[in-house]
Amino acid sequence: MAYLVFYIGRERKELKLEQRDTTVGRSRRCSVSLEDDIEVSRLHCTIQRQEDGSYLLIDEESRNGTYLNTKRITSAEERTLKDGDEILVGTTRFRFYQDDEKPPKVLSKKKL
């Protein structure tokens, strides 16, 4: 099972990626809603589970871009996620874990 670990304010969040598509954006309809982050588009990016169990990161033509391990990805790109990858959406940093174990309890809140 894959997870995203991130912080909203000081609160640590863990999200199991159980759906085929996990959406991130400012909209309340997104799987991860970042309503208060003005740098985030309504539908910013999608993490999509593939049939083989891998996960893709897809930028949904966001205004400020989606970053994977400090590199901006374009809306024309789909990037395969690997265990430990960092995703930056607006001012929120996510860590992707693809493992049967729970993600580690410690995650630095520093920005990329």
Side-chain angles (χ1 to χ4, degrees):
M1 176 63 59
Y3 295 85
L4 284 179
V5 176
F6 58 103
Y7 285 87
I8 295 183
R10 294 179 160 260
E11 186 178 353
R12 176 191 164 98
K13 303 275 188 176
E14 291 181 13
L15 177 68
K16 286 183 184 180
L17 301 179
E18 298 176 313
Q19 305 297 322
R20 179 177 183 268
D21 291 331
T22 300
T23 55
V24 179
R26 238 181 33 247
S27 171
R28 290 183 182 179
R29 292 183 177 186
C30 289
S31 309
V32 178
S33 179
L34 303 172
E35 297 176 54
D36 297 329
D37 190 338
I38 61 171
E39 294 183 25
V40 175
S41 298
R42 283 187 196 104
L43 175 58
H44 199 97
C45 65
T46 300
I47 297 173
Q48 188 177 79
R49 187 179 66 231
Q50 303 299 292
E51 288 184 21
D52 66 1
S54 65
Y55 289 80
L56 295 179
L57 177 62
I58 304 162
D59 181 79
E60 300 289 357
E61 299 181 11
S62 65
R63 175 177 279 221
N64 293 316
T66 301
Y67 292 80
L68 176 61
N69 299 322
T70 72
K71 295 182 181 166
R72 186 175 180 158
I73 63 170
T74 66
S75 56
E77 293 178 291
E78 295 179 347
R79 294 288 182 96
T80 301
L81 292 171
K82 296 184 233 49
D83 190 57
D85 277 348
E86 291 182 334
I87 302 164
L88 183 64
V89 175
T91 61
T92 303
R93 186 172 61 100
F94 297 83
R95 179 83 64 171
F96 173 80
Y97 294 99
Q98 188 171 11
D99 201 336
D100 292 336
E101 298 179 25
K102 281 192 82 131
K105 286 292 182 196
V106 177
L107 177 70
S108 170
K109 291 170 49 174
K110 73 177 177 94
K111 290 188 179 187
L112 293 175

